[in-house]
Amino acid sequence: MTRIALFQMTSGIDPTENALAINDAIAQAAGGGAAILFTPEMSNLIDRDRARAVLSVRSEDDDPVLAAARAAAADHGIWVHLGSLALRGAGGKFVNRAFVIDAKGAILARYDKLHLFDVDLPTGESWRESAAYVRGEGAVVVSTPVGATGLSICYDLRFADLYRALSNAGATVFTVPAAFTRPTGEAHWHILLRARAIESGAFVIAAAQTGNHADGRATYGHSLVIDPWGEILLDMDEPEGVGFADIDLARVADVRARVPVISHRRLIPAVEVVA
C-alpha cells in the first residue's frame, strides 16, 4: 500500500496566504505518512478580477507559492503535486501550470492545461478562460511514488482522448486537480472521474477547490480518489482540509487483466457518414 494525501482548499486572492495554507498541508501530509500530497487547480490564486489578479501573478521563477512548496517538500521529505498555479506566460497572457516536485524540492515535471474553459452556464455564470490564459501544447507522464502518472487539469476531464493517450504512454494514475463550479460539479464530477478510471483501468486522484472564494466564486469540493475498477476510495465532501487514502498499486494490473481495455484498443478508421 502507498499512502497519499489530498489538500482540499479554498484559494483566495492573496498568494501569500495560500502559500501558508499549502505549507501547512504539506506538513500534515508528511506527518500522516503520505508519500505525496496533491493540491487543486489554481492553488496559488483564484481571482476573477483579472485587473487585480495581474498584480499578483508572477513568472515561474518568481512565484512565492512554488518556491515555498519546493522548500516545504524538501524540509518534510515528501513529494508534492501542485495541481496548478496561475503564472505569467507569453503574449501578456497567463498559463495554468501543474508541477510535480520530488522529496528534495526539485521540479520533475510541468504540464500546461490543454483545454480551456469557455462556457455560459444556465445559472448566468460566464467563463472565458481563453481570454486570460494560453493553452498548453502537449501531454505529460511522470514517474512518482504512485507509479507512472498522467497529468491533466480540470476541464481536461471532459476529453477522453487525452486519457487514452496518457494510458497508451504507460500512465497507471491520472491526476485531475480542479476548481469545478457547483452546477457542473453536482452534475458531472463523480461520473466523469469514475469513467476516466474505468475506461483505462487506472487510479484517478482529483484534488479540488471548495467553498466560497474571496472573489465571489463558489466551487464544488468533493476531492476524490478512485481505483481502477471505479470504486471511490476517498470523497472529501465540502470541508477544507487534508485527506488520506491508501492505494494498492497492484490493483491496476489486476483490473486490466480482468478487463483488458488497453490491449483491446484499436485505431478508429475513417467514419462513414450516411445521409
Side-chain angles (χ1 to χ4, degrees), residues 238-274:
E238 295 183 3
E240 290 183 77
V242 175
F244 295 87
D246 295 312
I247 63 176
D248 180 3
L249 302 180
R251 181 77 167 143
V252 174
D254 173 60
V255 169
R256 289 182 176 180
R258 294 164 65 185
V259 184
V261 290
I262 304 296
S263 62
H264 285 171
R265 285 176 176 166
R266 298 291 180 268
L267 290 175
I268 305 301
V271 176
E272 179 184 1
V273 178
V274 180

Side-chain angles (χ1 to χ4, degrees), residues 100-116:
V100 175
I101 300 165
D102 72 10
K104 295 182 180 179
I107 297 172
L108 297 191
R110 298 167 176 83
Y111 166 74
D112 289 356
K113 187 176 182 179
L114 280 174
H115 302 95
L116 300 181

Side-chain angles (χ1 to χ4, degrees), residues 78-93:
I78 185 174
W79 288 57
V80 176
H81 172 257
L82 286 175
S84 81
L85 305 178
L87 299 170
R88 291 188 180 271
K93 288 191 173 183

Side-chain angles (χ1 to χ4, degrees), residues 13 46-53 125-127 215-218:
I13 62 176
I46 283 186
D47 192 353
R48 70 170 76 192
D49 183 336
R50 286 170 180 158
R52 181 174 58 194
E125 294 177 85
S126 180
W127 304 100
D215 73 338
R217 186 178 324 205

Side-chain angles (χ1 to χ4, degrees), residues 69-238:
R70 294 181 66 185
D75 287 345
H76 294 283
I78 185 174
W79 288 57
V80 176
H81 172 257
L82 286 175
S84 81
L85 305 178
L87 299 170
R88 291 188 180 271
K93 288 191 173 183
F94 303 155
V95 292
N96 190 341
R97 180 170 296 164
F99 293 89
V100 175
I101 300 165
D102 72 10
K104 295 182 180 179
I107 297 172
L108 297 191
R110 298 167 176 83
Y111 166 74
D112 289 356
K113 187 176 182 179
L114 280 174
H115 302 95
L116 300 181
F117 189 54
D118 289 357
V119 68
D120 297 308
L121 297 175
T123 59
E125 294 177 85
S126 180
W127 304 100
R128 290 290 179 271
E129 197 171 19
S130 64
Y133 289 84
V134 59
R135 74 176 185 89
E137 295 296 335
V140 177
V141 176
V142 57
S143 180
T144 76
V146 291
T149 302
L151 308 183
S152 67
I153 299 172
C154 199
Y155 190 51
D156 286 335
L157 175 60
R158 296 182 181 275
F159 301 90
D161 53 340
L162 171 59
Y163 301 92
R164 177 179 175 128
L166 292 171
S167 54
N168 282 346
T172 55
V173 175
F174 302 140
T175 61
V176 193
F180 256 54
T181 67
R182 284 181 179 163
T184 55
E186 290 170 356
H188 299 149
W189 177 245
H190 289 75
I191 295 168
L192 286 172
L193 287 168
R194 293 186 70 196
R196 298 294 85 89
I198 292 165
E199 69 196 9
S200 291
F203 282 98
V204 170
I205 301 169
Q209 293 282 349
T210 191
N212 298 313
H213 299 260
D215 73 338
R217 186 178 324 205
T219 51
Y220 181 61
H222 290 274
S223 296
L224 299 177
V225 178
I226 302 170
D227 87 348
W229 194 248
E231 179 182 354
I232 296 174
L233 305 181
L234 174 69
D235 184 334
M236 293 181 65
D237 206 340
E238 295 183 3

